[in-house]
């Protein structure tokens, strides 16, 4: 694919489209959500480790995952997102009406995406859970191996701010031993005292550098500065951190790999 066509695909095909015709008209249901007496399949974010198809094992790129819950399977092939109806019945997972985006991503193994998409497209999979590991096997013998995703730790993780955007330059790192937070507001560096307790973080007054940057970055900095010198609610969902201040300021950040 040439670069011009690739750019057109990236900008024009971000909506979900069918991967193939749905099989049958069976109504999706969450089922029991369990396989034997072990960990349930549903309600868990599973990171894809690898796909074995036609005797060849391909390692998954970062970001490939699936969550099955409330009659739906949703996730990412590594580049493209997908969604499907899902039924869990004993050790069987049935997927139907699978839809996916059609983006072309640089530095992503599209051959892997094709193998994983084929495994998750409108068919029945046999599931086996062993501790925090899940194996899904298709009728033709293709195997998808997955591992239960863990939440990133608040402390010691570099959290890159996504809302406000700050051009990807803003980031924060909490140090529980020193009781501090430090990083960048997008233009200026920042550090402050930080006390974490019972889902809350109390931040002290910020100490910052005094650089001037373009207006958009300075506006994002002002938003981030409203987090400091007060108490925040925080939550970590897998690789996403949400911070909400008493004045209503909300900031989202993702763990940097």
């Amino acid at each position: 694919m040439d670069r011009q066509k690739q750019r057109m695909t990236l900008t024009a095909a971000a909506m979900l489209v069918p991967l193939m015709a749905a099989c049958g008209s069976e109504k999706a249901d969450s089922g029991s959500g369990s396989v034997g007496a072990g960990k349930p399949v549903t309600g868990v974010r599973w990171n894809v480790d690898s796909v074995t198809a036609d005797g060849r094992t391909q390692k998954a790129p970062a970001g490939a995952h699936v969550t099955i819950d409330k009659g739906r399977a949703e996730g990412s092939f590594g580049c493209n997102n997908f969604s499907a109806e899902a039924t869990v019945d004993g050790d069987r997972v049935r997927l139907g009406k699978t839809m996916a985006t059609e983006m072309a991503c640089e530095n992503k193994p599209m051959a892997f995406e094709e193998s994983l998409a084929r495994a998750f497209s409108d068919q029945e999979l046999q599931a086996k859970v062993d501790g925090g590991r899940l194996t899904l096997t298709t009728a033709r013998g293709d195997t998808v191996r997955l591992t239960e995703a863990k939440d990133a730790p608040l402390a010691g993780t570099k959290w890159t701010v996504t809302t406000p955007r700050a051009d990807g330059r803003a980031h924060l790192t909490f140090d529980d031993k020193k009781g501090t937070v430090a990083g960048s507001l997008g233009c200026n560096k920042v550090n402050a005292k930080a006390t974490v307790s019972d889902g809350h973080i109390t931040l002290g007054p910020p100490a910052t550098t005094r650089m001037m940057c373009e207006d958009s970055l300075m506006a994002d900095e002002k938003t981030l500065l409203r987090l400091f010198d007060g108490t925040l609610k925080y939550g970590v969902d897998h690789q996403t951190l949400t911070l909400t201040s008493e004045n209503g300021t909300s900031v989202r950040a993702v763990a940097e790999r």
Side-chain angles (χ1 to χ4, degrees):
M1 179 182 293
D2 60 41
R3 288 186 177 275
Q4 182 179 3
K5 184 176 180 182
Q6 186 180 58
R7 285 194 295 269
M8 290 175 63
T9 305
L10 283 167
T11 56
M15 63 185 296
L16 290 171
V17 296
L19 285 179
M20 61 175 63
C23 297
S25 58
E26 182 179 47
K27 184 178 179 181
D29 182 53
S30 60
S32 65
S34 62
V35 178
K39 178 180 291 294
V41 172
T42 59
V44 177
R45 175 173 169 136
W46 298 99
N47 288 338
V48 180
D49 297 323
S50 66
V51 174
T52 300
D54 301 323
R56 178 190 174 201
T57 298
Q58 302 174 76
K59 185 177 180 181
H65 70 276
V66 62
T67 301
I68 302 171
D69 198 20
K70 298 178 180 178
R72 301 292 301 173
E74 297 180 341
S76 170
F77 296 137
C79 166
N80 286 284
N81 296 327
F82 70 92
S83 176
E85 293 183 353
T87 302
V88 178
D89 183 9
D91 65 349
R92 300 286 171 172
V93 177
R94 299 184 185 92
L95 301 181
K97 297 183 180 180
T98 305
M99 308 278 284
T101 56
E102 288 188 332
M103 297 188 297
C105 302
E106 293 184 1
N107 302 318
K108 292 289 186 178
M110 301 310 289
F112 172 87
E113 290 230 344
E114 292 174 3
S115 296
L116 184 57
R118 182 174 64 178
F120 284 170
S121 296
D122 303 332
Q123 62 180 307
E124 183 175 270
L125 303 159
Q126 183 173 9
K128 179 181 179 181
V129 178
D130 183 6
R133 297 185 180 277
L134 169 66
T135 303
L136 298 173
T137 305
T138 70
R140 68 191 303 272
D142 295 346
T143 301
V144 183
R145 291 180 173 82
L146 311 95
T147 303
E148 180 185 5
K150 302 293 185 181
D151 290 341
L154 174 67
T157 299
K158 182 178 179 180
W159 296 101
T160 299
V161 176
T162 55
T163 307
R165 292 179 60 185
D167 292 339
R169 302 184 195 179
H171 58 85
L172 299 170
T173 301
F174 294 88
D175 188 323
D176 56 355
K177 293 182 179 179
K178 294 181 180 179
T180 60
V181 63
S184 170
L185 299 170
C187 174
N188 287 284
K189 294 181 179 179
V190 65
N191 65 80
K193 291 184 177 179
T195 303
V196 181
S197 177
D198 298 328
H200 291 78
I201 305 173
T202 301
L203 297 182
T208 69
T209 54
R210 300 295 181 180
M211 296 173 58
M212 293 297 295
C213 297
E214 54 264 40
D215 291 344
S216 59
L217 279 179
M218 298 308 293
D220 290 336
E221 287 214 353
K222 289 180 181 179
T223 298
L224 292 172
L225 282 170
R226 287 199 288 268
L227 294 176
F228 292 84
D229 202 12
T231 300
L232 317 171
K233 291 182 180 179
Y234 83 92
V236 176
D237 182 7
H238 185 50
Q239 301 290 308
T240 301
L241 169 67
T242 303
L243 301 170
T244 307
S245 70
E246 294 174 326
N247 59 30
T249 300
S250 183
V251 169
R252 290 172 64 86
V254 296
E256 186 170 304
R257 292 179 180 270

